[in-house]
Amino acid sequence: MTRLFNDPDDFAEESAAGFAAASARWVRPVTGGVVRSTRGAEPTVSVVIGGGSGHYPAFAGLVGPGLAHGAAMGNLFASPSAHQVHSVAVAANEGRGVLLSYGNYAGDVLHFTQAQERMREAGIDCRTVLVTDDISSAPKAEIEKRRGIAGDLVVFKIAGAAAEAGLDLDDVERLALLANARTRTLGVAFGGCTLPGADEPLFTVPEGRMAVGLGIHGEPGIDEVDVPTAAGLAELFVSSLLAEIPDGVDADGARVVPILNGLGSVKYEELYVVYAEIDRLLAEAGIVVVSPEVGEFCTSFDMAGVSLTLLWLDDEIEPLWHAPCDTPAFRRGAVEGRIAVDDVEVVEEEVVIGPASDASRNAATTIDRAMTAIAAMLDAQADELGRIDRIAGDGDHGIGMQRGSKAAAAAASSSAAAGAGARTTLQQAGDAWADKGGGTSGAIWGEMLVALGATLGDDAEVDAARIAAGVTAMKDAVMSFGKAKVGDKTMIDAIVPFADRLAELVAAGTELVPAWSDAADTADRAAKATADLTAKLGRARSHGDKSLGTPDPGAVSFALIAHTVLDILEGNE
């Protein structure tokens, strides 16, 4: 378990500050993460990576000459917000375009895509390469749905070396895609990881058993077997990965880089015992082992687990893999001719409180009270939401909702106290939720609150019809943003019937409070009914029927929020 921390809510921020202070030779802090503290003689394409904290050396430990130019650092196991990614990308940009690369997780995709769109709107060429190396997370026929784990290192290294060589963005992108296509990983775990301040791990494995196909955020494995010997584990790794040889690769005589990765608490000596057998098995298969790596490259706090990655080299990738790089956690050869970058002050965007009508200011006061109540409720429900999420997911839904709502409540209080109207108050609350909550839920709730605010405005009368229209806008925003539909076992299964029922009743002349009460009950029933569904999206998707019998945590938290808002509305009568 994680023992050394102050306030668990501040762990990621304090860890990032300590890392930056200890690693000034390579990085300097900026809003949202870190960027290089040196530059070369000539500008290059900038490679910006990132993801949730808790995986060191991924992601910040891989920033430096020859590898990444910057890393966006989210909260624990939560994707960085679009604001954080954009801030890092702008600071890292050297004028030749930006390549974003990260593991294929829903929250990361949502936030990084938003940041990419902002970069493009500003006239900066920005591309994305997703890492999809985990063979356990989707069948080969759906390889684009696979998640990224320790193969992150491979893709980041090839992209960084290509950029360092002076190649243009087209070639950097092409080579990163090629590296991803030629990389495969399988992971196992003997025990789950425990986040700072948590009383129990995100998942457990029975004594003497091993989870196969785990995820690096604490997602449980897709299978469970007896703990093998080191030789038995090596056999499982090698046989599974050789059954997944990339298209167009002839295994006989192929040159392969094996990367044996410890996930947090497996000792290096244990890794070497496993690697000895991996090396023998690969040789027996007629494969030429090149520059093997054994150590920690993408961890999961204190998880007792191991993964094996195979990178199948070709004439383009091999020299890039061996090219020099110098980062806090991964170094090769010598990098010369670096120039220190002067500290650049990052100016935070100023919050502008525009004019608002008295009616809208009154609505903002109610929003403030509602956000405060939501934060208190989610704080009390965080453990239970986490328990539900652990059944087939990574167990962090409660923590993410807790952090996001707390930040949103503070932002709403500050805006309302400054005389803001409903739109501005919700805009600030939504941005804060996305920024601090991270992950898929952070992105989605940020979008929902912003959409509601845009409908309510800062100068309009906030009546039942406008509120119902705003809730419909929330529904439309989340369906467009997350691409989920009813039946996928997500929050959509609760918000769609809620929004539709509220709109129906208000249109029929029902007053707001009874209409909201009826709609909240509808959402509650719909959330409970998700227990009968099999997850089709998100991290629970790869665990199939494991989620049967358990409701979706996102749908449950939405229903809880709907009832919490009802209490505030009833108090206003």
Side-chain angles (χ1 to χ4, degrees), residues 432-453:
W433 194 315
D435 211 28
K436 297 299 183 182
T440 307
S441 62
I444 287 174
W445 273 98
E447 287 292 305
M448 288 166 59
L449 294 180
V450 169
L452 175 61

Side-chain angles (χ1 to χ4, degrees), residues 333-386:
V335 178
E336 306 292 344
R338 306 305 297 178
I339 303 169
V341 176
D342 293 334
D343 287 339
V344 177
E345 182 182 0
V346 178
V347 180
E348 295 286 349
E349 295 180 8
E350 183 180 355
V351 176
V352 178
I353 305 296
S357 66
D358 289 341
S360 192
R361 288 195 183 97
N362 290 336
T365 299
T366 302
I367 291 166
D368 174 18
R369 292 175 55 228
M371 295 306 305
T372 299
I374 289 169
M377 180 275 294
L378 288 173
D379 184 63
Q381 294 291 327
D383 289 345
E384 175 61 12
L385 291 172

Side-chain angles (χ1 to χ4, degrees), residues 300-325:
S300 186
F301 266 105
D302 60 334
M303 184 185 290
V306 187
S307 66
L308 177 65
T309 299
L310 296 183
L311 164 61
W312 300 79
L313 298 170
D314 69 1
D315 291 343
E316 281 192 294
I317 290 177
E318 184 163 353
L320 296 172
W321 178 252
H322 289 122
C325 65

Side-chain angles (χ1 to χ4, degrees), residues 25-185:
R25 167 184 159 190
W26 298 278
V27 304
R28 60 187 176 92
V30 297
T31 299
V34 295
V35 296
R36 292 182 185 177
S37 58
T38 65
R39 61 178 176 83
E42 299 295 332
T44 69
V45 170
S46 298
V47 177
V48 174
I49 63 177
S53 298
H55 304 299
Y56 191 86
F59 296 89
L62 302 177
V63 174
L67 226 154
H69 292 69
M73 304 161 67
N75 216 317
L76 303 180
F77 291 0
S79 64
S81 69
H83 171 69
Q84 291 173 308
V85 177
H86 179 261
S87 171
V88 172
V90 169
N93 180 33
E94 296 185 5
R96 294 191 60 191
V98 175
L99 179 76
L100 304 177
S101 190
Y102 50 93
N104 184 28
Y105 296 90
D108 294 286
V109 172
L110 292 174
H111 288 294
F112 275 85
T113 299
Q114 280 188 309
Q116 176 177 269
E117 291 171 354
R118 289 185 62 185
M119 297 289 284
R120 290 176 173 177
E121 288 170 359
I124 299 170
D125 194 354
C126 188
R127 318 274 181 88
T128 292
V129 172
L130 297 176
V131 183
T132 57
D133 59 306
D134 180 15
I135 67 170
S136 70
S137 55
K140 192 173 182 180
E142 298 180 320
I143 196 168
E144 75 284 352
K145 294 182 179 180
R146 289 178 171 176
R147 60 195 174 196
I149 47 179
D152 283 350
L153 171 66
V154 170
V155 178
F156 301 163
K157 174 64 175 70
I158 299 305
E164 194 74 17
L167 301 183
D168 63 18
L169 185 55
D170 287 339
D171 277 334
V172 173
E173 178 187 32
R174 177 182 64 81
L175 289 163
L177 288 168
L178 178 61
N180 182 63
R182 298 177 75 93
T183 303
R184 299 288 188 274
T185 301

Side-chain angles (χ1 to χ4, degrees), residues 191-238:
C193 54
T194 305
L195 298 179
D199 296 326
E200 57 185 14
L202 293 177
F203 74 93
T204 58
V205 180
E207 187 70 27
R209 301 284 282 176
M210 178 179 77
V212 180
L214 76 149
I216 58 171
H217 302 92
E219 303 96 325
I222 60 171
D223 195 11
E224 193 178 280
V225 300
D226 288 338
V227 175
T229 62
L233 178 56
E235 169 63 33
L236 172 66
F237 277 151
V238 173

